[in-house]
Amino acid sequence: MATILIHHDAVSAASATAKRLLDLLVSKPDASLGLATGGTMEQVYAQLIERARGMNLSFAGVKSFNLDEYIGLNADHPQSYRTTMSKLLFDHIDIKPENTHLPRGDASDPAEEAKRYEAMIAELGGIDLQLLGIGLNGHIGFNEPSSSLGSRTRIKKLARSTMAANRRFFKPDETVPTHALTMGIATIMQARKIILLATGASKADAVAKALEGPVSTSCPASILQFHPDATVIVDEDAASKLELRDFYESIHPGGEEVYFVK
Ligand code: F6R
Protein backbone atom coordinates (compact mmCIF):
# COMPACT_ATOMS: atom_id res chain seq x y z
CA MET A 1 0.00 0.00 0.00
CA ALA A 2 1.13 3.46 -0.77
CA THR A 3 1.82 6.02 1.93
CA ILE A 4 -1.35 8.13 2.05
CA LEU A 5 -0.98 11.71 3.25
CA ILE A 6 -4.16 13.72 3.74
CA HIS A 7 -3.60 17.48 3.84
CA HIS A 8 -6.12 20.07 4.90
CA ASP A 9 -6.28 21.84 1.54
CA ALA A 10 -4.94 21.85 -1.99
CA VAL A 11 -2.24 24.45 -1.31
CA SER A 12 -0.78 22.44 1.54
CA ALA A 13 -0.92 19.22 -0.54
CA ALA A 14 0.90 20.92 -3.45
CA SER A 15 3.43 22.42 -1.09
CA ALA A 16 4.19 19.01 0.45
CA THR A 17 4.67 17.62 -3.06
CA ALA A 18 7.06 20.42 -4.03
CA LYS A 19 8.99 19.88 -0.81
CA ARG A 20 9.52 16.21 -1.63
CA LEU A 21 10.89 17.11 -5.06
CA LEU A 22 13.26 19.62 -3.48
CA ASP A 23 14.40 17.11 -0.84
CA LEU A 24 15.33 14.73 -3.63
CA LEU A 25 17.23 17.42 -5.53
CA VAL A 26 19.16 18.41 -2.42
CA SER A 27 20.29 14.82 -1.88
CA LYS A 28 20.71 14.09 -5.60
CA PRO A 29 21.37 17.22 -7.70
CA ASP A 30 21.49 15.16 -10.91
CA ALA A 31 18.18 13.40 -10.30
CA SER A 32 15.83 12.36 -13.11
CA LEU A 33 12.36 13.73 -12.58
CA GLY A 34 9.25 12.33 -14.23
CA LEU A 35 6.86 15.26 -14.68
CA ALA A 36 3.15 15.65 -15.32
CA THR A 37 0.97 18.42 -16.69
CA GLY A 38 -2.64 19.27 -15.79
CA GLY A 39 -4.23 21.80 -13.49
CA THR A 40 -3.21 19.99 -10.30
CA MET A 41 0.48 20.44 -11.07
CA GLU A 42 0.37 24.21 -11.60
CA GLN A 43 0.55 24.95 -7.89
CA VAL A 44 3.36 22.38 -7.43
CA TYR A 45 5.56 24.00 -10.07
CA ALA A 46 4.84 27.50 -8.73
CA GLN A 47 5.93 26.40 -5.25
CA LEU A 48 8.93 24.53 -6.60
CA ILE A 49 10.19 27.63 -8.43
CA GLU A 50 9.69 29.90 -5.44
CA ARG A 51 11.28 27.59 -2.89
CA ALA A 52 14.18 26.63 -5.17
CA ARG A 53 14.95 30.36 -5.58
CA GLY A 54 14.89 30.84 -1.83
CA MET A 55 17.31 27.94 -1.41
CA ASN A 56 19.51 28.95 -4.36
CA LEU A 57 19.00 25.44 -5.70
CA SER A 58 20.28 24.70 -9.18
CA PHE A 59 18.55 22.39 -11.67
CA ALA A 60 21.61 22.39 -13.94
CA GLY A 61 22.23 18.68 -13.37
CA VAL A 62 18.58 17.60 -13.47
CA LYS A 63 16.98 15.59 -16.28
CA SER A 64 13.22 15.59 -16.81
CA PHE A 65 10.87 13.27 -18.66
CA ASN A 66 7.25 14.22 -19.09
CA LEU A 67 4.57 11.58 -19.08
CA ASP A 68 2.82 12.51 -22.27
CA GLU A 69 2.18 14.82 -25.21
CA TYR A 70 -0.76 15.37 -27.55
CA ILE A 71 -0.37 13.87 -31.03
CA GLY A 72 -0.69 16.43 -33.81
CA LEU A 73 0.54 19.45 -31.86
CA ASN A 74 4.04 20.68 -32.60
CA ALA A 75 6.28 21.76 -29.75
CA ASP A 76 5.47 25.47 -30.31
CA HIS A 77 1.69 25.02 -30.21
CA PRO A 78 0.32 27.07 -27.28
CA GLN A 79 -1.43 24.01 -25.83
CA SER A 80 1.34 21.47 -26.38
CA TYR A 81 2.64 20.02 -23.15
CA ARG A 82 6.12 21.21 -24.18
CA THR A 83 4.87 24.84 -24.24
CA THR A 84 2.92 24.30 -21.01
CA MET A 85 5.98 22.94 -19.23
CA SER A 86 8.17 25.80 -20.48
CA LYS A 87 5.67 28.35 -19.21
CA LEU A 88 5.01 26.66 -15.88
CA LEU A 89 8.50 25.47 -15.00
CA PHE A 90 11.37 25.22 -17.47
CA ASP A 91 11.54 28.96 -18.25
CA HIS A 92 11.86 29.80 -14.55
CA ILE A 93 14.67 27.45 -13.50
CA ASP A 94 18.18 26.78 -14.79
CA ILE A 95 17.43 23.28 -16.14
CA LYS A 96 19.27 22.74 -19.45
CA PRO A 97 16.72 22.68 -22.31
CA GLU A 98 18.47 19.63 -23.79
CA ASN A 99 17.81 17.76 -20.54
CA THR A 100 14.05 18.28 -20.71
CA HIS A 101 12.31 15.48 -22.54
CA LEU A 102 8.76 15.08 -23.81
CA PRO A 103 7.48 12.80 -26.55
CA ARG A 104 7.31 14.69 -29.87
CA GLY A 105 3.65 15.19 -30.73
CA ASP A 106 4.46 16.15 -34.32
CA ALA A 107 6.65 13.12 -35.09
CA SER A 108 5.91 11.79 -38.59
CA ASP A 109 5.73 8.26 -37.17
CA PRO A 110 4.20 8.44 -33.67
CA ALA A 111 4.61 4.69 -33.06
CA GLU A 112 8.35 4.98 -33.70
CA GLU A 113 8.51 8.10 -31.55
CA ALA A 114 6.94 6.12 -28.70
CA LYS A 115 9.62 3.44 -29.00
CA ARG A 116 12.37 6.07 -29.12
CA TYR A 117 11.02 7.77 -25.99
CA GLU A 118 10.74 4.53 -24.04
CA ALA A 119 14.28 3.50 -25.02
CA MET A 120 15.69 6.93 -24.20
CA ILE A 121 14.32 6.87 -20.63
CA ALA A 122 16.07 3.55 -20.06
CA GLU A 123 19.30 4.65 -21.76
CA LEU A 124 19.48 7.77 -19.60
CA GLY A 125 19.18 5.71 -16.42
CA GLY A 126 15.44 5.66 -15.68
CA ILE A 127 13.40 7.95 -13.45
CA ASP A 128 14.15 8.64 -9.79
CA LEU A 129 10.84 10.27 -8.92
CA GLN A 130 7.71 10.26 -11.05
CA LEU A 131 5.05 12.85 -10.35
CA LEU A 132 1.48 11.83 -11.25
CA GLY A 133 -1.95 13.40 -11.32
CA ILE A 134 -5.05 11.25 -11.67
CA GLY A 135 -7.88 11.50 -14.18
CA LEU A 136 -11.55 11.51 -13.18
CA ASN A 137 -11.64 7.95 -14.56
CA GLY A 138 -8.50 6.84 -12.71
CA HIS A 139 -6.07 7.35 -15.58
CA ILE A 140 -2.39 8.01 -14.95
CA GLY A 141 -0.47 9.62 -17.80
CA PHE A 142 -2.98 9.04 -20.59
CA ASN A 143 -3.40 5.38 -19.72
CA GLU A 144 -7.17 5.30 -19.84
CA PRO A 145 -9.22 2.51 -18.24
CA SER A 146 -8.63 -0.81 -20.05
CA SER A 147 -4.93 0.06 -20.63
CA SER A 148 -2.64 -2.91 -20.16
CA LEU A 149 -0.93 -2.86 -16.79
CA GLY A 150 2.19 -4.04 -18.65
CA SER A 151 2.09 -1.26 -21.25
CA ARG A 152 5.04 0.82 -22.46
CA THR A 153 5.12 4.23 -24.13
CA ARG A 154 2.66 4.17 -27.02
CA ILE A 155 -0.21 5.93 -28.80
CA LYS A 156 -3.44 6.14 -26.81
CA LYS A 157 -6.89 7.37 -27.78
CA LEU A 158 -8.18 9.77 -25.12
CA ALA A 159 -11.42 8.92 -23.35
CA ARG A 160 -14.36 11.28 -23.97
CA SER A 161 -14.30 12.32 -20.31
CA THR A 162 -10.58 13.21 -20.61
CA MET A 163 -11.17 15.31 -23.72
CA ALA A 164 -14.06 17.06 -21.98
CA ALA A 165 -11.90 17.74 -18.89
CA ASN A 166 -9.07 19.10 -21.07
CA ARG A 167 -11.42 21.34 -23.08
CA ARG A 168 -10.82 24.11 -20.55
CA PHE A 169 -7.21 24.53 -21.68
CA PHE A 170 -8.20 25.16 -25.32
CA LYS A 171 -9.87 28.14 -27.01
CA PRO A 172 -13.55 27.60 -27.94
CA ASP A 173 -12.70 27.36 -31.67
CA GLU A 174 -9.84 24.89 -31.13
CA THR A 175 -10.29 21.14 -31.36
CA VAL A 176 -9.08 19.11 -28.38
CA PRO A 177 -6.62 16.46 -29.60
CA THR A 178 -8.02 12.93 -29.66
CA HIS A 179 -4.77 10.98 -29.23
CA ALA A 180 -1.62 11.25 -27.16
CA LEU A 181 1.75 9.60 -26.78
CA THR A 182 2.00 8.45 -23.19
CA MET A 183 4.42 6.53 -21.02
CA GLY A 184 2.86 3.13 -20.36
CA ILE A 185 1.81 1.79 -17.00
CA ALA A 186 4.87 -0.46 -16.81
CA THR A 187 7.07 2.51 -17.74
CA ILE A 188 5.60 4.52 -14.87
CA MET A 189 5.93 1.60 -12.45
CA GLN A 190 9.67 1.43 -13.18
CA ALA A 191 10.23 4.82 -11.57
CA ARG A 192 12.12 4.33 -8.33
CA LYS A 193 9.73 6.57 -6.41
CA ILE A 194 6.24 7.80 -7.27
CA ILE A 195 4.18 10.69 -5.90
CA LEU A 196 0.55 10.98 -6.97
CA LEU A 197 -1.15 14.27 -6.13
CA ALA A 198 -4.94 14.63 -6.24
CA THR A 199 -6.99 17.58 -5.02
CA GLY A 200 -10.66 18.53 -5.11
CA ALA A 201 -13.93 16.68 -4.62
CA SER A 202 -14.11 15.70 -8.30
CA LYS A 203 -11.18 13.32 -7.73
CA ALA A 204 -12.67 11.60 -4.65
CA ASP A 205 -14.16 8.62 -6.53
CA ALA A 206 -11.01 7.98 -8.56
CA VAL A 207 -8.81 8.22 -5.44
CA ALA A 208 -11.00 5.78 -3.49
CA LYS A 209 -11.05 3.31 -6.38
CA ALA A 210 -7.29 3.58 -6.88
CA LEU A 211 -6.36 3.13 -3.21
CA GLU A 212 -9.07 0.85 -1.87
CA GLY A 213 -10.49 -0.91 -4.91
CA PRO A 214 -9.10 -3.99 -6.63
CA VAL A 215 -6.00 -3.60 -8.79
CA SER A 216 -7.59 -3.52 -12.19
CA THR A 217 -7.31 -2.05 -15.67
CA SER A 218 -10.65 -0.37 -14.99
CA CYS A 219 -8.74 2.01 -12.69
CA PRO A 220 -5.17 2.28 -14.00
CA ALA A 221 -3.96 4.19 -10.91
CA SER A 222 -4.79 1.13 -8.78
CA ILE A 223 -1.52 -0.41 -10.01
CA LEU A 224 0.27 1.88 -7.53
CA GLN A 225 -0.81 -0.57 -4.82
CA PHE A 226 2.02 -2.74 -6.15
CA HIS A 227 4.69 -0.03 -6.20
CA PRO A 228 7.31 -0.39 -3.43
CA ASP A 229 7.72 3.38 -2.90
CA ALA A 230 4.56 5.27 -3.81
CA THR A 231 3.17 8.23 -1.87
CA VAL A 232 -0.31 9.58 -2.51
CA ILE A 233 -0.84 13.17 -1.38
CA VAL A 234 -4.44 14.38 -1.28
CA ASP A 235 -6.46 17.19 0.20
CA GLU A 236 -9.50 16.53 2.39
CA ASP A 237 -11.91 16.85 -0.54
CA ALA A 238 -10.10 14.26 -2.64
CA ALA A 239 -9.88 11.99 0.45
CA SER A 240 -13.58 12.29 1.24
CA LYS A 241 -14.59 8.88 -0.13
CA LEU A 242 -11.80 6.83 1.43
CA GLU A 243 -13.27 4.19 3.74
CA LEU A 244 -10.12 3.98 5.83
CA ARG A 245 -9.58 7.74 5.99
CA ASP A 246 -9.51 7.82 9.81
CA PHE A 247 -6.85 5.15 9.85
CA TYR A 248 -4.64 6.97 7.31
CA GLU A 249 -5.04 10.18 9.32
CA SER A 250 -4.10 8.39 12.51
CA ILE A 251 -0.84 7.24 10.92
CA HIS A 252 0.01 10.59 9.34
CA PRO A 253 -1.83 13.36 11.21
CA GLY A 254 -2.27 16.45 9.03
CA GLY A 255 -0.46 14.65 6.22
CA GLU A 256 2.86 14.68 8.05
CA GLU A 257 5.08 11.64 7.77
CA VAL A 258 5.51 10.39 11.31
CA TYR A 259 7.77 7.48 11.90
CA PHE A 260 7.37 4.92 14.61
CA VAL A 261 9.83 5.55 17.43
CA LYS A 262 10.23 3.24 20.40
C1 F6R B 1 -0.98 14.98 -17.64
C2 F6R B 1 -1.42 13.66 -17.22
C3 F6R B 1 -2.79 13.40 -16.69
C4 F6R B 1 -3.22 14.38 -15.60
C5 F6R B 1 -4.65 14.08 -15.15
C6 F6R B 1 -5.16 15.06 -14.12
O1 F6R B 1 0.38 14.97 -18.03
O2 F6R B 1 -0.66 12.78 -17.34
O3 F6R B 1 -2.85 12.09 -16.20
O4 F6R B 1 -2.36 14.28 -14.51
O5 F6R B 1 -5.50 14.11 -16.26
O6 F6R B 1 -5.29 16.31 -14.70
P1 F6R B 1 -5.74 17.60 -13.84
O7 F6R B 1 -4.64 17.86 -12.90
O8 F6R B 1 -5.89 18.68 -14.86
O9 F6R B 1 -7.01 17.21 -13.19
Side-chain angles (χ1 to χ4, degrees):
M1 176 48 78
T3 301
I4 300 168
L5 305 175
I6 303 174
H7 282 257
H8 177 59
D9 56 29
V11 175
S12 164
S15 163
T17 306
K19 185 178 177 305
R20 278 175 170 70
L21 288 166
L22 291 169
D23 286 349
L24 171 69
L25 297 182
V26 167
S27 65
K28 191 173 181 196
D30 61 348
S32 287
L33 301 180
L35 301 176
T37 50
T40 317
M41 295 302 146
E42 293 180 8
Q43 193 48 244
V44 175
Y45 297 142
Q47 300 245 9
L48 191 64
I49 295 163
E50 198 185 311
R51 285 172 179 235
R53 269 194 201 134
M55 296 161 66
N56 240 335
L57 188 93
S58 172
F59 288 73
V62 172
K63 290 191 280 289
S64 74
F65 300 92
N66 266 78
L67 284 165
D68 38 28
E69 178 62 282
Y70 290 122
I71 293 181
L73 303 193
N74 60 41
D76 297 334
H77 189 285
Q79 299 312 328
S80 75
Y81 283 166
R82 161 65 71 185
T83 303
T84 305
M85 286 307 301
S86 298
K87 275 200 211 147
L88 292 179
L89 183 64
F90 300 154
D91 288 353
H92 309 280
I93 55 176
D94 65 343
I95 194 166
K96 294 186 180 135
E98 64 270 28
N99 286 346
T100 63
H101 304 284
L102 284 95
R104 287 192 296 245
D106 59 350
S108 56
D109 184 342
E112 265 311 305
E113 171 61 6
K115 281 193 200 151
R116 180 197 71 83
Y117 197 69
E118 178 78 30
M120 185 189 59
I121 296 171
E123 273 158 27
L124 294 178
I127 292 171
D128 291 309
L129 192 165
Q130 177 67 56
L131 199 52
L132 296 176
I134 185 170
L136 298 173
N137 58 7
H139 73 210
I140 46 175
F142 277 132
N143 295 284
E144 304 286 22
S146 83
S147 290
S148 161
L149 300 181
S151 52
R152 297 282 167 183
T153 307
R154 68 211 183 294
I155 303 168
K156 282 300 287 180
K157 167 108 176 75
L158 305 186
R160 285 206 182 103
S161 64
T162 303
M163 288 194 277
N166 291 355
R167 170 85 258 169
R168 70 192 196 279
F169 295 112
F170 289 81
K171 292 197 192 111
D173 60 334
E174 281 179 323
T175 333
V176 181
T178 53
H179 290 74
L181 281 168
T182 180
M183 280 186 204
I185 295 181
T187 321
I188 292 170
M189 285 293 281
Q190 252 176 334
R192 292 181 268 283
K193 204 182 232 316
I194 293 182
I195 297 179
L196 183 145
L197 173 65
T199 56
S202 67
K203 298 291 172 69
D205 283 318
V207 166
K209 227 175 148 187
L211 297 179
E212 298 182 335
V215 174
S216 155
T217 58
S218 73
C219 180
S222 63
I223 191 72
L224 297 185
Q225 294 177 34
F226 277 125
H227 196 280
D229 190 353
T231 301
V232 175
I233 303 181
V234 289
D235 66 358
E236 288 181 358
D237 288 340
S240 59
K241 296 201 173 158
L242 288 169
E243 271 182 32
L244 299 178
R245 177 177 168 175
D246 277 356
F247 178 57
Y248 310 139
E249 287 179 326
S250 75
I251 309 172
H252 303 293
E256 290 308 316
E257 280 201 74
V258 182
Y259 297 97
F260 177 73
V261 224
K262 254 192 179 174

